[in-house]
Amino acid sequence: MGTVALAVTDGMLHFELSLAYEVFAAVPDGVTVPWYEVTVCGPVAVRVGRFRLEPDHGLDELSRADTVIVPGLADVDEDPPADLVEAVRAAHQAGARVASLCTGAFVLAAAGLLDGKRATTHWAHTRDLAARYPQVQVDPDVLYVDNGSLLTSAGKAAAMDLCLHLVRRDHGSSIANTVARRLVVPPHRDGGQAQFVTTPVPAPDNHPLAELFPWVIERLDQPLTVTDLSRQARMSSRNLGRHFKSVTGTTPLQWLLTQRIRHAQELLETTDDSIDTIAAVTGMGTATTMRRHFNRTVGVPPDTYRRTFRSRTRPGPDDSGQRHQHPTRPETGSTR
């Protein structure tokens, strides 16, 4: 699926760099589709946290990549290094998809790539980003924003969400879920979910809803209600809502709808089932209801989504040896 270049410089945050490498460099077990070729690009040697890192290539190699990942910077009080800014700008001009993790958004903003576009960064730095780059439409309340060939994320766990989102765009939800399971992280969180300012992302089995989530996923075809979820979780509806807000950043019904939509996407990607059939097995009832929810959430009708995905995952005879093309997708960061 093309080359992923990690753009590094002195003072990069090692967590974001490491998670990006882990997502894109390790081929998941059982996955037979062509996987990413990962390269690390930067000056001769850089300091990442307390570690010394020797990149594979110089920053000029970014312009040859299909996807460029810009990890966060530890110090955003100073302007990002000029050579990094120029290399990232040149890579995007050459056709690369560019994604920033956490405060890496300051690099994209300095390059002028985010002018007139929605973007986000770690909640602690959104005001600074907006003040220094007033032409950027900074959204402090989302996990990540997808502008097609330009993507930005909030910090830490949201950086993982964005990396999995990219895998999902490239390979579909089934493979993205496989990667998430290997890393023992939630398979998908919408970009429009609120940033968790004080609540950390829980371990998979370390929160009150851990047993409820898989129970719901196995019953998406059923007409589940908040009462059903409360009874299964053995708590009141009010208590359930409070836990859902803490763990997922949203309400029980909105979370449930999101799971139905994601399951529908997977079926659209991997089967030839009719819209009526998919609507039934995902619990959305009728094709009309599914189309309404799907269009509002994803940004395109399910039929269009299926055609777009399949045209993207079935390369034609002229694709060999050429840069992988990433069609413009709906701005999924707008899903609330």
Side-chain angles (χ1 to χ4, degrees):
M1 186 52 72
T3 303
V4 173
L6 306 180
V8 299
T9 189
D10 282 331
M12 281 287 180
L13 297 171
H14 65 275
F15 180 85
E16 285 78 0
L17 174 61
S18 298
L19 74 83
Y21 190 88
E22 186 67 23
V23 169
F24 296 109
V27 182
D29 290 341
V31 172
T32 58
V33 298
W35 201 243
Y36 305 97
E37 178 185 346
V38 177
T39 183
V40 179
C41 301
V44 175
V46 299
R47 299 295 300 184
V48 179
R50 296 183 178 182
F51 305 100
R52 183 177 184 273
L53 176 67
E54 295 185 2
D56 303 312
H57 302 283
L59 288 171
D60 57 341
E61 190 71 15
L62 295 180
S63 62
R64 298 180 178 88
D66 295 291
T67 299
V68 172
I69 306 292
V70 184
L73 298 169
D75 183 6
V76 295
D77 292 332
E78 301 293 333
D79 289 337
D83 57 347
L84 175 63
V85 171
E86 179 56 36
V88 169
R89 182 191 297 118
H92 187 257
Q93 291 174 344
R97 175 177 62 179
V98 178
S100 65
L101 308 180
C102 193
T103 51
F106 283 80
V107 177
L108 275 62
L113 302 182
L114 301 179
D115 289 353
K117 295 181 173 59
R118 287 180 64 245
T120 195
T121 188
H122 190 287
W123 62 269
H125 301 289
T126 51
R127 288 187 179 180
D128 189 22
L129 182 65
R132 288 168 60 182
Y133 304 101
Q135 291 183 308
V136 181
Q137 300 170 17
V138 179
D139 190 337
D141 298 321
V142 296
L143 297 177
Y144 57 85
V145 176
D146 182 347
N147 288 303
S149 64
L150 290 166
L151 304 94
T152 55
S153 85
K156 306 302 180 185
M160 176 66 78
D161 292 318
L162 179 54
C163 289
L164 290 174
H165 173 70
L166 289 172
V167 173
R168 193 174 183 287
R169 273 184 49 171
D170 295 338
H171 295 290
S173 56
S174 179
I175 291 179
N177 290 345
T178 298
V179 175
R181 283 193 296 271
R182 178 177 63 83
L183 299 174
V184 198
V185 297
H188 184 271
R189 293 195 296 168
D190 280 319
Q193 289 186 25
Q195 292 191 32
F196 301 159
V197 176
T198 58
T199 305
V201 175
D205 57 354
N206 191 31
H207 60 85
L209 305 179
E211 295 182 2
L212 179 64
F213 287 164
W215 183 87
V216 173
I217 296 299
E218 293 174 359
R219 294 165 175 80
L220 290 178
D221 60 323
Q222 301 178 17
L224 298 174
T225 65
V226 172
T227 300
D228 296 326
L229 272 60
S230 300
R231 184 181 299 113
Q232 179 64 26
R234 296 183 293 277
M235 61 180 66
S236 68
S237 297
R238 177 176 296 182
N239 201 24
L240 180 77
R242 183 167 62 252
H243 283 301
F244 257 92
K245 187 66 175 179
S246 174
V247 173
T248 71
T250 189
T251 66
L253 288 181
Q254 184 58 50
W255 179 86
L256 178 59
L257 177 60
T258 298
Q259 308 318 305
R260 298 190 194 281
I261 294 294
R262 297 312 167 197
H263 187 33
Q265 286 181 293
E266 184 171 355
L267 293 174
L268 289 167
E269 295 167 8
T270 59
T271 75
D272 293 318
D273 292 347
S274 68
I275 303 302
D276 287 290
T277 298
I278 294 176
V281 300
T282 58
M284 286 185 276
T286 67
T288 299
T289 301
M290 175 179 159
R291 285 190 172 96
R292 181 174 70 252
H293 288 308
F294 197 96
N295 198 6
R296 184 175 59 197
T297 302
V298 181
V300 295
D303 312 82
T304 302
Y305 180 88
R306 170 175 271 167
R307 287 195 301 270
T308 301
F309 180 84
R310 296 204 169 179
S311 66
R312 183 159 43 87
T313 56
R314 295 176 180 174
D318 298 328
D319 288 348
S320 178
Q322 297 185 11
R323 175 186 293 276
H324 180 71
Q325 298 297 314
H326 302 281
T328 301
R329 293 288 304 278
E331 187 177 311
T332 55
S334 63
T335 300
R336 300 308 303 267

